[in-house]
């Protein structure tokens, strides 16, 4: 079973995570940029809230892109997500995350009169994660329904392909200037995200092992 799980993992990574787990993580950094551009164009209000708090998109994309949703969600939800991904292809990874932001993006609206940005960002991230977990637990079908609506929008995927083709290393999405922003603020969360990236493949292997055991138990 273990060799089969490893072989399956390799195939999944090649299909859904191209260039994500290499030394430079170039594919991951490209697709974080692409995803932010997509959110900016198609979910402008959510993007505005995220930008005002200066939440790093790399933090939002960590579990969906590097771990394919296996770090945050329970196995039964991951299997539902992966069913869609296997049928629809790599676009489904983006579509599910777009659906989660559409449903829970209000969590990033800055509270009135907040002073400590770091605390506000952490609170927003916790609220978002709890919100998507709650939705997945009570109505995962709703998430998949919204994801389906994103998959049906051809203009989204045409934009995604164009952004990937025209991506230049180091590209950034234009932001509204903020006079109070410091260089340390811009790096908020990045160190912890990339420090955790080394565990992404291990998480996927564990998810693959659990899935194999689950399917084996069903066959008995």
């Amino acid at each position: 079973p273990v060799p089969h799980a490893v072989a399956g993992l390799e195939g999944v990574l090649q299909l859904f995570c191209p260039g994500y787990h290499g030394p430079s993580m170039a594919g991951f950094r490209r697709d974080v940029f692409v995803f932010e551009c997509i959110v900016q164009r198609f979910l402008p209000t959510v993007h505005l809230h995220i930008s005002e708090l200066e939440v790093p998109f790399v933090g939002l994309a960590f579990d969906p892109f590097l771990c394919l949703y296996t770090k945050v969600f329970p196995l039964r939800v991951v299997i539902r997500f992966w069913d869609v991904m296997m049928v629809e292809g790599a676009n489904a990874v983006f579509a599910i995350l777009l659906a989660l932001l559409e449903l829970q993006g209000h969590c990033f609206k800055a509270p009135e009169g907040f002073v400590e940005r770091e605390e506000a960002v952490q609170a927003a991230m916790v609220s978002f994660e709890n919100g998507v977990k709650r939705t997945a637990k009570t109505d995962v079908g709703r998430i998949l329904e919204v994801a389906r609506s994103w998959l049906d929008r051809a203009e989204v995927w045409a934009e995604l392909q164009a952004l990937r083709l025209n991506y230049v290393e180091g590209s950034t999405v234009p932001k509204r200037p903020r006079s109070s922003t410091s260089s340390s603020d811009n790096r908020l969360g990045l160190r912890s995200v990339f420090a955790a990236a080394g565990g992404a493949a291990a998480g996927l292997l564990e998810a693959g092992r659990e899935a194999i055991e689950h399917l084996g138990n069903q066959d008995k």
Side-chain angles (χ1 to χ4, degrees):
V2 173
H4 295 163
V6 172
L9 173 64
E10 183 179 2
V12 166
L13 293 180
Q14 289 175 352
L15 178 62
F16 297 113
C17 310
Y20 285 12
H21 298 94
S24 68
M25 302 180 74
F28 173 65
R29 289 187 284 110
R30 177 203 62 201
D31 279 354
V32 170
F33 165 80
V34 169
F35 180 71
E36 182 174 357
C37 290
I38 294 293
V39 174
Q40 186 180 55
R41 176 174 174 183
F42 295 101
L43 289 172
T45 301
V46 174
H47 187 272
L48 179 62
H49 294 332
I50 293 173
S51 297
E52 286 181 340
L53 276 184
E54 297 179 16
V55 176
F57 268 77
V58 68
L60 295 174
F62 172 76
D63 176 53
F65 289 2
L66 287 177
C67 303
L68 298 177
Y69 298 98
T70 62
K71 184 175 176 63
V72 169
F73 295 98
L75 180 60
R76 66 175 185 83
V77 173
V78 173
I79 289 173
R80 295 287 300 276
F81 286 176
W82 280 35
D83 280 346
V84 177
M85 289 157 51
M86 292 300 176
V87 172
E88 300 293 341
N91 286 351
V93 179
F94 287 80
I96 293 169
L97 185 50
L98 286 166
L100 295 175
L101 280 179
E102 181 177 338
L103 294 169
Q104 295 292 330
H106 57 85
C107 296
F108 294 105
K109 186 175 182 180
E112 293 291 336
F114 79 93
V115 178
E116 294 294 333
R117 189 182 70 82
E118 183 172 352
E119 291 182 6
V121 169
Q122 291 174 346
M125 291 291 285
V126 169
S127 178
F128 176 70
E129 182 171 321
N130 289 340
V132 298
K133 284 181 176 179
R134 184 168 55 249
T135 304
K137 181 179 180 179
T138 60
D139 194 3
V140 66
R142 176 58 178 157
I143 297 173
L144 297 179
E145 179 185 346
V146 177
R148 176 74 267 168
S149 70
W150 282 102
L151 287 165
D152 289 340
R153 298 178 63 178
E155 71 275 16
V156 174
W157 313 112
E159 178 77 3
L160 183 146
Q161 292 303 323
L163 287 165
R164 277 180 162 175
L165 287 173
N166 295 311
Y167 174 76
V168 177
E169 183 69 28
S171 296
T172 58
V173 181
K175 303 286 198 310
R176 295 191 309 170
R178 289 175 58 93
S179 58
S180 62
T181 300
S182 68
S183 60
S184 61
D185 285 340
N186 288 332
R187 295 192 297 271
L188 178 66
L190 297 184
R191 182 178 300 174
S192 60
V193 167
F194 284 104
L204 280 167
L205 273 172
E206 179 63 17
R209 184 188 64 77
E210 290 182 4
I212 288 171
E213 290 180 355
H214 175 73
L215 292 173
N217 290 335
Q218 284 187 330
D219 291 338
K220 292 179 180 179

